[in-house]
Amino acid sequence: MRGPVRGTARETVRRSGRELYDRLRTYLIVAMQAGLAAGLAWFVADTVLDNAQPLFAPAVAIGVIAGAIGHRLRRSGELIAGVVVGAFVGHWLLRLTGTGPARTGLVVALAISVAVLFRGGGATMAQAGSTAVLLGLMTGGPDLAVPRTESALVGGVTALAVALLILPLNPLRVVRRAAGPTADLFAGQLTAAAQALTSRDLTRADEAFRAFATGQAQRQQTAEMIAAAGEVAALSPWRRRGLGMVRRYQGAAEHLDNVYTSGREMMRWIVVTIREGEPVPANVPAAIEHFGEALRLLHRDFLAGREPEPTRARALQAIREADEACAEGLEFSANAVVAQLRAAVSELLQASGLPEAEANEQAGLTRHG
């Protein structure tokens, strides 16, 4: 008994270590950008401009680089706008009322209210409020409004310069490192679930379902990094080559979300099917494995910049296997497995570029809906 337990523990440790390594490798460029942007922002604010609040420049630079991956241009604008609103409101009100805790609270409330009136987001409101706090409580009061605004501009511009011109990430490499492991994770768990269905192994099926479901965090990280790659490919003059590939991923994003949702439900029904002891034709596990392989192939087709015909062929093989299983006859839970498989295949075909009506027809949703 100890042998299998130790083997499982070792595999868990290896998998955790591999996930940590992949995450570090993916986000290492972000750490390097943040460090460079912080150093440059400090140098410009302190040495070049002799700013009275040079520390705020690297703080804004880090907020832009690390706080809004994939939306840095918007984040920079929000941070700067928040500082300007907070400085403007704080400057004039504190000139009129003087400084102090009670007055500072009033100024913060008004600064955030003004930011809301201008449809500012959370970052804008936070910066408006924090600027008002600093103006009200720090020595120098309203006279710090201009240095803080200048420092915010330095930090935001420096961050964008680093992210888009000086040290831009490589969109192709980022997408490969982020999307590849995610596709492998989901496809691997689909294969595990198919094998569990064949062997009627309830424990293994449940483990695969849980691993698939908890992959949501990794899927969100992948979406974040693809957004960052898209921003760089669109705005950096050095990284335009990857724009077409990133746009294919971005165009497929909503459909891939639906693939994940249908795949998760399918795996839940696999667990139910095994638990209920329903007979399942061999075509059903085969169809699930073909679907998982199609998911892997889509990632490879996108990276290669080719028409995803291999993906579509494998997905349609999954549907042929499902049709043969239905012809043999399925009970309730197994029928639910196949229904979710059809929905997932339709979304995968749409992610590959097929129109919705054609994808639904090829997935058999119009015949079996």
Side-chain angles (χ1 to χ4, degrees):
M1 190 70 170
R2 289 182 179 179
V5 172
R6 287 178 179 174
T8 302
R10 282 196 298 268
E11 178 58 31
T12 300
V13 171
R14 280 197 297 268
R15 185 169 58 248
S16 298
R18 188 165 55 248
E19 290 172 357
L20 288 173
Y21 171 74
D22 288 339
R23 180 172 172 80
L24 176 61
R25 189 176 63 166
T26 299
Y27 284 91
L28 182 60
I29 181 64
V30 177
M32 294 172 63
Q33 287 177 337
L36 179 58
L40 285 176
W42 168 267
F43 173 78
V44 172
D46 183 58
T47 305
V48 177
L49 300 178
D50 194 25
N51 190 281
Q53 278 196 307
L55 280 174
F56 189 60
V60 169
I62 294 170
V64 171
I65 293 289
I69 299 172
H71 305 283
R72 288 168 174 169
L73 191 62
R74 186 186 71 191
R75 176 75 169 191
S76 181
E78 288 180 346
L79 290 174
I80 294 170
V83 170
V84 170
V85 168
F88 178 80
V89 174
H91 176 84
W92 291 107
L93 286 179
L94 291 171
R95 284 286 188 189
L96 294 173
T97 64
T99 60
R103 295 182 180 90
T104 297
L106 174 63
V107 171
V108 168
L110 290 174
I112 291 178
S113 297
V114 171
V116 171
L117 289 176
F118 284 96
R119 299 183 181 277
T124 303
M125 290 188 284
Q127 289 302 321
S130 62
T131 297
V133 167
L134 287 176
L135 295 184
L137 299 181
M138 290 181 64
T139 303
D143 295 330
L144 292 177
V146 173
R148 184 169 169 86
T149 302
E150 180 184 73
S151 195
L153 287 169
V154 169
V157 171
T158 301
L160 292 178
V162 168
L164 300 177
L165 299 174
I166 301 173
L167 191 63
L169 55 81
N170 185 322
L172 294 172
R173 183 180 299 126
V174 166
V175 171
R176 185 182 299 113
R177 289 178 175 177
T182 302
D184 287 341
L185 169 67
F186 292 141
Q189 297 311 319
L190 287 166
T191 298
Q195 292 172 351
L197 187 58
T198 299
S199 61
R200 319 299 293 182
D201 189 335
L202 180 59
T203 300
R204 189 179 183 189
D206 191 59
E207 288 175 351
F209 167 63
R210 293 179 186 279
F212 192 96
T214 55
Q216 169 73 4
Q218 184 168 330
R219 192 166 63 97
Q220 289 175 338
Q221 292 163 12
T222 297
E224 184 179 74
M225 295 308 296
I226 289 174
E231 184 178 60
V232 172
L235 300 176
S236 174
W238 328 127
R239 298 301 190 187
R240 293 289 175 84
R241 188 168 62 91
L243 185 57
M245 180 271 294
V246 176
R247 282 182 172 169
R248 282 193 292 273
Y249 263 103
Q250 291 175 326
E254 181 179 351
H255 297 299
L256 290 175
D257 282 345
N258 294 335
V259 167
Y260 169 81
T261 301
S262 295
R264 184 187 61 205
E265 286 303 300
M266 179 180 68
M267 295 183 74
R268 185 173 68 83
W269 279 108
I270 288 172
V271 173
V272 174
T273 300
I274 298 173
R275 184 181 294 123
E276 295 297 322
E278 291 185 11
V280 177
N283 303 91
V284 174
I288 295 167
E289 291 202 54
H290 285 306
F291 169 63
E293 187 58 29
L295 191 58
R296 280 196 181 98
L297 285 171
L298 183 66
H299 168 66
R300 296 170 189 169
D301 290 342
F302 279 172
L303 286 180
R306 64 187 176 222
E307 190 68 15
E309 290 301 334
T311 297
R312 294 168 186 163
R314 190 58 60 90
L316 293 178
Q317 179 62 35
I319 294 302
R320 284 193 291 271
E321 297 281 1
D323 286 343
E324 290 178 13
C326 289
E328 291 185 37
L330 298 173
E331 295 187 19
F332 180 80
S333 297
N335 194 59
V337 170
V338 171
Q340 292 298 332
L341 174 67
R342 293 186 189 279
V345 168
S346 174
E347 294 293 343
L348 189 65
L349 292 173
Q350 291 177 66
S352 78
L354 290 186
E356 181 180 2
E358 184 178 353
N360 287 342
E361 173 64 28
Q362 294 197 16
L365 289 178
T366 55
R367 302 189 304 271
H368 301 270

